[in-house]
Amino acid sequence: MEQRVELIGLSQPELIEFVDGLEEPAYRGRQVFAALQHRRLRSFAEMTDLPKELRARLNKVGQASTLKVESRYISSDGTRRYLMKTHDGLPVETVFIPEEHRDTICFSSQSGCPLQCTFCLTAQLGLLRSLTPGEIVEQILIALNDAYGVGVKPPRGTNLVGMGAGEPFLNFDSLLKALRIMADRNGLYIVSNRVTISTAGIVPKILDLAKVSDRPHLAISLAAPTDELRNELMPINKRWPLEELLKACKVFEKTLKPGELFTFEYVMLAGVNDSEEQARQLANLLNRHGLKAKVNLIPHNPAEPLPYRPSPEETVSRFKKILESKGIHTYVRRPRGRDIFAACGQLAARQETLNTCKEIRSVGVTS
Ligand code: SF4
C-alpha cells in the first residue's frame, strides 16, 4: 500500500499542488492548509466545511496528524511538558512555558541526539532519527491546542525555541521547511523573528543560516571558555573548535538586524566552568572577536546519572558581574518546570523515555 502523505508537513503551495493531483481546485488546498495550520484540526473528519467525499479521499491518501501524546506533565509554575510518540514509536519531547507577555514553546528537532554533551540527558539516548517537517510543526499545534483549546487564538504572542531534544542544524532542511510553514499568515503565523534556534556549534550550518533571508535568531551553546574544557563537555568542539566557531559567528554577525544580538548559552556547572578566571576567559574570548552577543547563564538541572551539580547562586552572580564589567550583556535564565523535568538539559530525563529507547534499540530501530 502506498504511504499516506503527511499533510501537516506541506506548505500551502504544496498542499494546493497535492489537491490538484486529486483534481480538486486550488481553493480546496488553501482550505485544508488553514484547517490544519490555522484551525489546528487534527483529523479530516473535523473539517466539516469540506465535502464528505473529499474528506474520505484525503483520509485515504493523506494524514492530518501523526504524533500521539503519550504523557503530559503540568508543573506548579504552569510549564507543560509533553512526551509524544512518532508513528514509528520514537519519543519526541516538547515544553510549553507560559509567561506574562508571551508563551514560549521549546520544540525538538530530532528524537534523541547524536551529540554527546556530557551535561545533557538527551545525549544518553543517542540519535533515534531526525524529525520530519510535519513532526516539528505538529509539536507546536499540539501544545497550543492543549493550552488554549482546538483552534483558539492564543491570548499572547508565541515564541519558539529550537532547544529541545536534538541538534537542529543536523536536521537543517526539515527545520527550515517547518519554520516556513509556521510563518505562513494563513497558518500559525509565527514569523522567524519570534524563533530562536540553538546549536551546539555546527559551523557549516551557521554559515548556511547566515545566507537565509527569513532566518530565525541564533543561539550557541558554549558551556566552556577554552577548547580543552569544551572538548570534554561538548565533544563536537573537537570537530569545530572555538576559534572556528567564533569566526563563523563573526560572519553571521554581518546579517544581524539593528538591535539584534545573538546569544551564547552557558550552562553553569559547579566547580567545572564557573570560576572567576573562567568568567574572565569567556569575556576575553568574546571581546577578542568583537562579537555583538549576549550571554545567558543557565542554571544546570541536576539529574541522575549526570555527574554535575548546579553552581551556587553567589557564584552565578559573581560570574555575571565579571562578564558585565567587561561590557558583555549577561542574563541569568530562570529555570522553569524543574519539578516535571522540563528544564533545559532535562528532556528525556524520565525513565519512561529511556526505557522506550532501550525497547526501540532492542528491536533495531536506530538511525
Ligand atoms: S545539549 Fe543539545 S546538542 Fe548537546 S547532546 Fe543535548 S540535545 Fe544534543
Side-chain angles (χ1 to χ4, degrees):
M1 195 178 115
E2 233 177 82
Q3 235 192 339
R4 295 194 295 160
V5 179
E6 197 182 41
L7 299 191
I8 206 82
L10 299 187
S11 64
Q12 186 162 223
E14 285 172 336
L15 250 173
I16 291 172
E17 208 183 308
F18 180 81
V19 300
D20 185 57
L22 303 176
E23 293 177 1
E24 291 288 336
Y27 78 88
R28 290 288 187 212
R30 285 193 287 276
Q31 224 176 339
V32 176
F33 182 83
L36 293 169
Q37 306 285 351
H38 181 71
R39 298 165 65 203
R40 306 197 301 261
L41 301 180
R42 315 235 322 118
S43 72
F44 299 115
E46 292 165 275
M47 300 178 193
T48 48
D49 52 336
L50 296 178
K52 209 170 166 190
E53 183 271 326
L54 176 57
R55 280 184 265 153
R57 280 166 71 212
L58 285 172
N59 205 31
K60 254 194 196 146
V61 294
Q63 283 177 295
S65 59
T66 65
L67 293 181
K68 286 206 167 58
V69 177
E70 287 277 303
S71 34
R72 180 187 72 162
Y73 307 89
I74 303 182
S75 162
S76 52
D77 66 14
T79 300
R80 293 169 180 231
R81 170 184 171 273
Y82 305 90
L83 173 62
M84 307 180 191
K85 283 268 171 73
T86 60
H87 68 91
D88 46 350
L90 305 180
V92 175
E93 299 191 63
T94 312
V95 181
F96 175 89
I97 307 159
E99 280 162 308
E100 207 184 329
H101 300 295
R102 63 179 195 274
D103 300 318
T104 300
I105 300 175
C106 175
F107 66 88
S108 297
S109 50
Q110 299 184 305
S111 180
C113 182
L115 304 189
Q116 293 293 309
C117 305
T118 54
F119 51 84
C120 171
L121 275 166
T122 306
Q124 315 255 322
L125 304 179
L127 176 66
L128 297 163
R129 76 165 162 79
S130 285
L131 300 181
T132 62
E135 287 164 342
I136 295 174
V137 173
E138 223 181 319
Q139 294 173 61
I140 284 77
L141 299 171
I142 288 173
L144 289 175
N145 277 353
D146 185 56
Y148 297 114
V150 177
V152 176
K153 190 171 182 283
R156 302 175 282 266
T158 308
N159 286 356
L160 302 182
V161 292
M163 291 183 191
E167 164 51 58
F169 282 180
L170 294 180
N171 191 16
F172 194 71
D173 294 343
S174 294
L175 173 77
L176 284 192
K177 182 165 185 201
L179 295 184
R180 286 188 180 132
I181 293 170
M182 292 192 279
D184 194 312
R185 59 172 63 234
N186 293 327
L188 281 165
Y189 198 24
I190 302 175
V191 295
S192 58
N193 70 7
R194 289 202 159 267
V195 184
T196 301
I197 300 300
S198 175
T199 177
I202 311 292
V203 164
K205 295 297 173 193
I206 294 174
L207 298 174
D208 286 349
L209 190 71
K211 295 179 204 139
V212 173
S213 57
D214 55 345
R215 63 162 179 78
H217 300 295
L218 179 66
I220 290 169
S221 176
L222 214 50
T226 62
D227 279 325
E228 198 188 358
L229 181 59
R230 199 164 187 267
N231 285 346
E232 202 183 293
L233 298 177
M234 301 182 74
I236 192 71
N237 192 69
K238 293 179 194 155
R239 179 108 181 253
W240 290 293
L242 281 168
E243 278 302 307
E244 225 178 299
L245 176 60
L246 296 180
K247 270 190 200 146
C249 292
K250 204 62 200 159
V251 173
F252 191 88
E253 193 181 48
K254 294 196 186 99
T255 73
L256 296 183
K257 296 173 189 91
E260 185 186 0
L261 297 172
F262 64 91
T263 309
F264 287 109
E265 309 278 354
Y266 194 96
V267 62
M268 297 290 290
L269 308 169
V272 176
N273 65 356
D274 62 350
S275 72
E276 295 184 19
E277 172 60 12
Q278 284 161 323
R280 283 189 286 274
Q281 286 173 333
L282 179 60
N284 292 342
L285 180 74
L286 300 182
N287 285 338
R288 186 151 45 82
H289 287 83
L291 284 161
K292 279 185 225 138
K294 64 174 181 189
V295 172
N296 275 345
L297 300 178
I298 304 174
H300 172 62
N301 300 293
E304 292 287 333
L306 300 181
Y308 304 108
R309 308 294 315 154
S311 304
E313 256 175 57
E314 320 79 73
T315 310
V316 176
S317 69
R318 214 175 308 126
F319 201 92
K320 178 175 186 278
K321 272 203 186 113
I322 294 173
L323 292 180
E324 284 173 338
S325 72
K326 307 253 180 196
I328 295 170
H329 299 282
T330 309
Y331 303 87
V332 179
R333 273 238 303 256
R334 195 159 53 102
R336 298 291 304 262
R338 261 191 173 160
D339 54 336
I340 55 162
F341 295 93
C344 186
Q346 281 196 326
L347 295 187
R350 301 272 312 191
Q351 203 51 41
E352 65 184 280
T353 310
L354 292 164
N355 286 345
T356 307
C357 294
K358 277 182 205 139
E359 281 163 31
I360 290 161
R361 288 235 163 72
S362 68
V363 293
V365 188
T366 54
S367 61

